[in-house]
Amino acid sequence: MIERSSAAEILKGLGLAVFECHSGGLFTLLGEPPHWSGRFAFSKYAGLSSAELVEIFPLLETFLPEAGEFWATPQDVPLESGPWMQADAAGLVCTLQASAISAATRPFLLLSMPGERFDEHRAIIQRARSQSLEYGRMERHVRELADQKTHLESHNREIERLNRLKDEFLASMSHELRTPLNAIIGFSTLLVQEKAGSLNDRQKSFAGEIGQAANHLLNVINDLLDVSKIEAGRLELHQEAFNLGEGLSEVLAVIQPLARAKGIQIHAEDAGAGLPVYADRVRFKQVLYNLLSNAIKFTRKEGRVSVAARSSGSEIEIEVSDNGAGIPREEQERIFERFYQVAGSGFHEGTGLGLAIAKSLVERHGGRIRVESAPGRGSRFSFTLPSGIG
Ligand code: ADP
């Protein structure tokens, strides 16, 4: 790749008289060709009009107009005059030849003396020409890149527009779906609680099923909405300092019935009691709920799940362990990807979004989430959050 200035550098030297033609028809001599200056005495000129050039080299009178046309639409092959004879300043007759070339898109006039270093001159012209072509290619490449950039920009704008539409669609759909779902959940609960009169066992169990299915659907919708918010960078955190033990008890109160239904005991002792954490309380509970409900879901009946928390420096670490199915090593990274579920872990309710959301939530707090697991032996998920001290 060449720069504009280096084209002139290449053409200079080795005895060629090299003129650059500027707009307005002014020719400037590049360099000082010593064995020419003595013979034609023009090296002292900084800029020559075409008339002055013709005065020194009369045969340029016919060549310059042709060269003008050549420079207007440069070709790969240089334009060359035939050889002509003229007397130098000392009256000695010599043979001269003129070439017009375009190097790095700039017009140059070259004067040479065929026979004297002729091959060298030709090589220089060749080189300038190929560099000119390379420059042209580079310019084309730059133009193509600019076109691609414009294309990508408009493509990106379209993607952004569609993304916005998707977000708006999800937001309004989730609202439309959540309102009736909440009604279904609320009324089925009232039925189960026999607030509208007594039901027989079968009716109660059906009403319970309706409530559970509606709850599941509500969770799926909430997960989808969270993912869409996270992707759009629109997830807001409302961080505050609170007692970890309290947040944990609130989650346990909701999750205990699930555990009891499978005969699973949750060991929490006084986990987190008195430990201040600085986090979005709702999101913290969401992460913990997700880890606990997974632990229950992937642990056989009568299994064991435990929660522990400890403070380490400026962080609090929360840990959920189970002695359930475990996760093969090669899947342990992937379970944090959206929609990823370990194959062969049997049928379980779930979207495969929970851990992806948990990871984003923890990372938004500046924390980390990780898993240690051995198939058949169980899993230990742990995550960190900023401590609420200081
Ligand atoms: P979901 O539970 O909705 O399938 P998650 O993102 O919460 O989605 O989990 C992804 C997958 O990781 C699960 O489907 C399961 O295969 C695996 N997994 C998560 N937690 C556990 C666990 N405690 N024990 C075994 N496998 C787990």
Side-chain angles (χ1 to χ4, degrees), residues 216 223 290-299 305 320-328 331-332 334-346 348-358 371 373 378-381:
H216 174 63
D223 277 358
N290 177 263
L291 297 185
L292 278 168
S293 63
N294 276 349
I296 295 166
K297 203 158 59 169
F298 297 102
T299 298
V305 170
V320 175
S321 320
D322 65 64
N323 62 353
I327 302 154
E331 316 246 21
Q332 290 176 12
R334 303 211 57 194
I335 54 171
F336 294 99
E337 292 170 13
R338 281 179 300 149
F339 301 111
Y340 194 84
Q341 296 180 307
V342 176
S345 57
H348 295 281
E349 259 186 10
T351 53
L353 288 173
L355 285 177
I357 295 172
V371 63
S373 185
S379 312
R380 182 166 65 209
F381 284 83

Side-chain angles (χ1 to χ4, degrees), residues 55-85:
E55 203 176 298
I56 304 168
F57 303 105
L59 267 116
L60 286 182
E61 189 167 7
T62 50
F63 184 70
L64 283 182
E66 287 172 34
E69 280 172 32
F70 171 86
W71 287 322
T73 49
Q75 321 284 316
D76 292 346
V77 184
L79 177 73
E80 289 180 0
S81 75
W84 83 83
M85 314 270 277

